[in-house]
């Protein structure tokens, strides 16, 4: 191995929102009775690592790994005798790998191939929409997972 670069990091994000839905009056659009009132919190933590190595003088290899964990939490603030507490939480997590090769075919031309997997959660707006209209989060909605392959070339001008 002629040269190796290791890069890594972490990220953490927090979001807090209040969601309220109302019945709108037909034709006038005036706000009517409240049908949903919940406090929503999202905590997103991730760790990632990428290693790039020159395995030959004209060939680089890359390998990466990302770990994601996202927790959605809803606190129902519209609980009555006829409207049960719909508070709840959803946690979604994934490990997403990536690998790639870059070949310096000519002094100003590289050919590359990459494979990666990714993970994308629904938004809180998507999760909060339930067919029943109840609060909390839709238990049937899952994250999107993608596998992708990329082939291409990079050229450099003088």
């Amino acid at each position: 191995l002629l040269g190796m670069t290791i890069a890594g990091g972490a990220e953490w994000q927090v979001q807090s929102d209040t969601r309220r839905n109302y019945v709108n009056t037909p034709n006038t659009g005036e706000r009517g009775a409240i049908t949903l009132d919940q406090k929503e919190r999202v905590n997103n933590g991730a760790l990632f690592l990428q290693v790039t190595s020159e395995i030959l003088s004209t060939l680089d290899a890359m390998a990466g790994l990302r770990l994601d964990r996202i927790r959605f939490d809803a606190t129902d603030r519209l609980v009555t005798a006829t409207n049960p507490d719909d508070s709840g939480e959803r946690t979604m997590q994934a490990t997403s790998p990536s690998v790639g090769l870059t070949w310096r075919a000519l002094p100003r031309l590289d050919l590359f191939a990459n494979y990666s997997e990714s993970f994308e959660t629904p938004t809180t707006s998507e999760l909060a929409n339930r067919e029943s209209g109840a609060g909390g989060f839709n238990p049937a909605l899952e994250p999107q997972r993608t596998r992708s392959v990329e082939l291409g070339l990079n050229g450099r001008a003088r």
Side-chain angles (χ1 to χ4, degrees), residues 18-25 29-37:
T18 298
R19 181 178 309 277
R20 292 187 181 104
N21 292 350
Y22 299 87
V23 174
N24 289 331
T25 306
E30 292 181 31
R31 183 181 290 179
I34 189 166
T35 60
L36 178 79
D37 184 2

Side-chain angles (χ1 to χ4, degrees), residues 12-155:
W12 180 56
Q13 299 176 46
V14 177
Q15 176 182 322
S16 182
D17 291 308
T18 298
R19 181 178 309 277
R20 292 187 181 104
N21 292 350
Y22 299 87
V23 174
N24 289 331
T25 306
N27 301 325
T28 66
E30 292 181 31
R31 183 181 290 179
I34 189 166
T35 60
L36 178 79
D37 184 2
Q38 67 186 24
K39 177 80 170 181
E40 299 171 353
R41 287 170 301 282
V42 183
N43 287 292
N44 176 10
L47 299 172
F48 51 92
L49 179 69
Q50 181 174 312
V51 177
T52 305
S53 180
E54 185 178 301
I55 56 177
L56 298 172
S57 62
T58 59
L59 185 64
D60 293 342
M62 179 279 301
L65 194 63
R66 181 180 173 98
L67 309 170
D68 286 284
R69 183 177 189 276
I70 299 95
R71 183 174 188 267
F72 298 86
D73 186 358
T75 303
D76 190 350
R77 300 191 301 199
L78 189 62
V79 179
T80 66
T82 58
N83 187 21
D85 187 349
D86 292 313
S87 299
E89 63 95 11
R90 295 273 319 263
T91 299
M92 300 177 188
Q93 55 191 25
T95 302
S96 303
S98 60
V99 293
L101 291 172
T102 301
W103 175 48
R104 288 179 293 287
L106 298 169
R108 297 190 184 278
L109 181 68
D110 296 340
L111 302 174
F112 63 88
N114 296 310
Y115 170 82
S116 63
E117 295 181 11
S118 63
F119 163 80
E120 182 180 351
T121 66
T123 66
T124 52
S125 294
E126 292 168 329
L127 280 172
N129 286 323
R130 298 177 71 176
E131 282 187 52
S132 66
F137 292 122
N138 186 339
L141 197 55
E142 294 296 329
Q144 173 180 305
R145 297 181 189 267
T146 303
R147 293 184 182 106
S148 64
V149 175
E150 177 183 40
L151 302 171
L153 55 97
N154 284 326

